[in-house]
CSV table of all heavy atoms in Angstrom, one decimal:
chain,number,residue,atom,x,y,z
A,362,PHE,N,50.1,174.0,-159.4
A,362,PHE,CA,51.6,174.2,-159.5
A,362,PHE,C,52.0,175.6,-159.6
A,362,PHE,O,53.0,176.1,-159.0
A,362,PHE,CB,52.1,173.4,-160.7
A,362,PHE,CG,52.1,171.9,-160.6
A,362,PHE,CD1,52.1,171.1,-161.7
A,362,PHE,CD2,52.1,171.3,-159.4
A,362,PHE,CE1,52.2,169.7,-161.6
A,362,PHE,CE2,52.1,170.0,-159.2
A,362,PHE,CZ,52.2,169.1,-160.4
A,363,ASN,N,51.2,176.4,-160.5
A,363,ASN,CA,51.6,177.8,-160.6
A,363,ASN,C,51.4,178.6,-159.3
A,363,ASN,O,52.2,179.4,-158.9
A,363,ASN,CB,50.7,178.5,-161.7
A,363,ASN,CG,51.1,178.0,-163.0
A,363,ASN,OD1,52.2,177.5,-163.3
A,363,ASN,ND2,50.2,178.3,-164.0
A,364,ALA,N,50.4,178.3,-158.5
A,364,ALA,CA,50.1,178.9,-157.2
A,364,ALA,C,51.2,178.5,-156.2
A,364,ALA,O,51.7,179.4,-155.5
A,364,ALA,CB,48.7,178.5,-156.7
A,365,ASP,N,51.6,177.3,-156.3
A,365,ASP,CA,52.7,176.8,-155.4
A,365,ASP,C,54.0,177.6,-155.7
A,365,ASP,O,54.7,178.1,-154.8
A,365,ASP,CB,52.9,175.3,-155.6
A,365,ASP,CG,54.1,174.8,-154.8
A,365,ASP,OD1,55.2,175.0,-155.1
A,365,ASP,OD2,53.8,174.1,-153.8
A,366,TRP,N,54.3,177.7,-157.0
A,366,TRP,CA,55.6,178.4,-157.4
A,366,TRP,C,55.5,179.9,-157.0
A,366,TRP,O,56.5,180.5,-156.7
A,366,TRP,CB,55.9,178.1,-158.9
A,366,TRP,CG,57.2,178.7,-159.4
A,366,TRP,CD1,57.3,179.6,-160.4
A,366,TRP,CD2,58.5,178.4,-158.9
A,366,TRP,NE1,58.6,179.8,-160.5
A,366,TRP,CE2,59.4,179.1,-159.7
A,366,TRP,CE3,59.0,177.5,-157.9
A,366,TRP,CZ2,60.7,179.0,-159.5
A,366,TRP,CZ3,60.4,177.4,-157.7
A,366,TRP,CH2,61.2,178.2,-158.5
A,367,GLU,N,54.3,180.5,-157.2
A,367,GLU,CA,54.2,182.0,-157.0
A,367,GLU,C,54.4,182.2,-155.5
A,367,GLU,O,55.0,183.3,-155.2
A,367,GLU,CB,52.7,182.4,-157.4
A,367,GLU,CG,52.5,183.8,-157.1
A,367,GLU,CD,53.4,184.9,-157.8
A,367,GLU,OE1,53.9,184.5,-158.9
A,367,GLU,OE2,53.5,186.0,-157.4
A,368,PHE,N,54.1,181.3,-154.7
A,368,PHE,CA,54.4,181.5,-153.2
A,368,PHE,C,55.9,181.7,-153.0
A,368,PHE,O,56.4,182.6,-152.3
A,368,PHE,CB,53.9,180.4,-152.4
A,368,PHE,CG,54.2,180.4,-150.9
A,368,PHE,CD1,53.2,181.0,-150.1
A,368,PHE,CD2,55.3,179.9,-150.4
A,368,PHE,CE1,53.5,181.1,-148.7
A,368,PHE,CE2,55.6,180.0,-149.1
A,368,PHE,CZ,54.7,180.6,-148.2
A,369,HIS,N,56.7,180.9,-153.7
A,369,HIS,CA,58.1,181.0,-153.6
A,369,HIS,C,58.7,182.2,-154.2
A,369,HIS,O,59.6,182.8,-153.8
A,369,HIS,CB,58.7,179.7,-154.2
A,369,HIS,CG,58.5,178.5,-153.3
A,369,HIS,ND1,59.4,178.0,-152.4
A,369,HIS,CD2,57.5,177.6,-153.2
A,369,HIS,CE1,58.9,176.9,-151.8
A,369,HIS,NE2,57.7,176.7,-152.3
A,370,LEU,N,58.1,182.6,-155.4
A,370,LEU,CA,58.5,183.8,-156.1
A,370,LEU,C,58.3,185.1,-155.3
A,370,LEU,O,59.1,185.9,-155.4
A,370,LEU,CB,57.8,183.9,-157.4
A,370,LEU,CG,58.3,182.9,-158.5
A,370,LEU,CD1,57.5,183.2,-159.8
A,370,LEU,CD2,59.8,183.1,-158.9
A,371,VAL,N,57.3,185.2,-154.5
A,371,VAL,CA,57.1,186.3,-153.7
A,371,VAL,C,58.2,186.5,-152.8
A,371,VAL,O,58.7,187.7,-152.7
A,371,VAL,CB,55.7,186.2,-152.9
A,371,VAL,CG1,55.6,187.3,-151.8
A,371,VAL,CG2,54.5,186.2,-153.7
A,372,ILE,N,58.7,185.5,-152.2
A,372,ILE,CA,59.9,185.5,-151.3
A,372,ILE,C,61.2,185.9,-152.1
A,372,ILE,O,62.0,186.7,-151.7
A,372,ILE,CB,60.1,184.2,-150.5
A,372,ILE,CG1,58.9,184.0,-149.6
A,372,ILE,CG2,61.4,184.3,-149.6
A,372,ILE,CD1,58.8,182.6,-149.0
A,373,ILE,N,61.4,185.2,-153.2
A,373,ILE,CA,62.5,185.5,-154.0
A,373,ILE,C,62.5,187.0,-154.5
A,373,ILE,O,63.6,187.6,-154.5
A,373,ILE,CB,62.6,184.5,-155.2
A,373,ILE,CG1,62.7,183.1,-154.6
A,373,ILE,CG2,63.8,184.8,-156.1
A,373,ILE,CD1,62.6,181.9,-155.7
A,374,ARG,N,61.4,187.5,-154.9
A,374,ARG,CA,61.4,188.9,-155.3
A,374,ARG,C,61.7,189.8,-154.2
A,374,ARG,O,62.4,190.9,-154.4
A,374,ARG,CB,60.0,189.2,-155.9
A,374,ARG,CG,59.6,188.5,-157.2
A,374,ARG,CD,58.3,189.1,-157.8
A,374,ARG,NE,57.7,188.2,-158.7
A,374,ARG,CZ,56.6,187.5,-158.5
A,374,ARG,NH1,56.1,187.5,-157.4
A,374,ARG,NH2,56.2,186.7,-159.5
A,375,ALA,N,61.3,189.4,-153.0
A,375,ALA,CA,61.5,190.2,-151.8
A,375,ALA,C,63.0,190.3,-151.4
A,375,ALA,O,63.4,191.2,-150.7
A,375,ALA,CB,60.7,189.7,-150.6
A,376,ALA,N,63.8,189.4,-152.0
A,376,ALA,CA,65.2,189.4,-151.7
A,376,ALA,C,65.9,190.6,-152.3
A,376,ALA,O,67.0,191.0,-152.0
A,376,ALA,CB,65.9,188.1,-152.2
A,377,ARG,N,65.2,191.2,-153.3
A,377,ARG,CA,65.7,192.4,-154.0
A,377,ARG,C,67.0,192.2,-154.7
A,377,ARG,O,67.9,193.1,-154.6
A,377,ARG,CB,65.7,193.6,-153.1
A,377,ARG,CG,64.3,193.9,-152.4
A,377,ARG,CD,64.3,195.1,-151.5
A,377,ARG,NE,63.0,195.2,-151.0
A,377,ARG,CZ,62.6,196.2,-150.2
A,377,ARG,NH1,63.5,197.2,-149.9
A,377,ARG,NH2,61.4,196.3,-149.7
A,378,ASN,N,67.1,191.1,-155.4
A,378,ASN,CA,68.4,190.8,-156.1
A,378,ASN,C,67.9,190.3,-157.5
A,378,ASN,O,67.4,189.1,-157.6
A,378,ASN,CB,69.2,189.8,-155.3
A,378,ASN,CG,70.6,189.5,-156.1
A,378,ASN,OD1,70.6,189.2,-157.2
A,378,ASN,ND2,71.6,189.6,-155.3
A,379,ARG,N,68.1,191.0,-158.5
A,379,ARG,CA,67.6,190.7,-159.8
A,379,ARG,C,68.2,189.4,-160.3
A,379,ARG,O,67.6,188.7,-161.2
A,379,ARG,CB,67.8,191.9,-160.8
A,379,ARG,CG,69.3,192.1,-161.2
A,379,ARG,CD,69.5,193.4,-161.9
A,379,ARG,NE,69.3,194.6,-161.0
A,379,ARG,CZ,69.3,195.8,-161.4
A,379,ARG,NH1,69.4,196.1,-162.8
A,379,ARG,NH2,69.1,196.8,-160.6
A,380,PHE,N,69.4,189.1,-159.9
A,380,PHE,CA,70.1,188.0,-160.5
A,380,PHE,C,69.6,186.7,-159.8
A,380,PHE,O,69.5,185.6,-160.5
A,380,PHE,CB,71.6,188.1,-160.4
A,380,PHE,CG,72.1,189.2,-161.2
A,380,PHE,CD1,72.6,190.4,-160.5
A,380,PHE,CD2,72.2,189.2,-162.6
A,380,PHE,CE1,73.0,191.5,-161.3
A,380,PHE,CE2,72.6,190.3,-163.3
A,380,PHE,CZ,73.1,191.4,-162.7
A,381,LEU,N,69.3,186.8,-158.5
A,381,LEU,CA,68.7,185.6,-157.9
A,381,LEU,C,67.3,185.3,-158.5
A,381,LEU,O,66.9,184.2,-158.8
A,381,LEU,CB,68.4,185.9,-156.4
A,381,LEU,CG,69.6,185.6,-155.4
A,381,LEU,CD1,69.2,186.0,-154.0
A,381,LEU,CD2,69.9,184.1,-155.5
A,382,LEU,N,66.6,186.4,-158.8
A,382,LEU,CA,65.3,186.2,-159.5
A,382,LEU,C,65.4,185.6,-160.9
A,382,LEU,O,64.7,184.7,-161.2
A,382,LEU,CB,64.5,187.6,-159.6
A,382,LEU,CG,63.1,187.5,-160.2
A,382,LEU,CD1,62.2,186.6,-159.5
A,382,LEU,CD2,62.6,189.0,-160.2
A,383,GLN,N,66.4,186.1,-161.6
A,383,GLN,CA,66.6,185.5,-163.0
A,383,GLN,C,67.0,184.0,-162.9
A,383,GLN,O,66.5,183.2,-163.7
A,383,GLN,CB,67.7,186.3,-163.7
A,383,GLN,CG,67.3,187.6,-164.1
A,383,GLN,CD,68.5,188.4,-164.7
A,383,GLN,OE1,69.6,187.9,-164.8
A,383,GLN,NE2,68.2,189.7,-165.0
A,384,MET,N,67.8,183.7,-161.9
A,384,MET,CA,68.2,182.3,-161.7
A,384,MET,C,67.0,181.4,-161.3
A,384,MET,O,66.8,180.3,-161.8
A,384,MET,CB,69.3,182.1,-160.7
A,384,MET,CG,70.7,182.6,-161.2
A,384,MET,SD,72.0,182.2,-160.0
A,384,MET,CE,71.8,183.5,-158.8
A,385,ALA,N,66.1,182.0,-160.5
A,385,ALA,CA,64.9,181.3,-160.1
A,385,ALA,C,64.0,181.0,-161.3
A,385,ALA,O,63.4,179.9,-161.4
A,385,ALA,CB,64.2,182.0,-159.0
Side-chain angles (χ1 to χ4, degrees):
F362 286 160
N363 287 343
D365 178 285
W366 185 239
E367 178 60 25
F368 179 90
H369 290 264
L370 283 178
V371 170
I372 299 172
I373 295 168
R374 293 188 197 107
R377 302 185 182 182
N378 185 308
R379 72 191 68 187
F380 298 106
L381 273 179
L382 180 58
Q383 287 174 7
M384 287 188 283

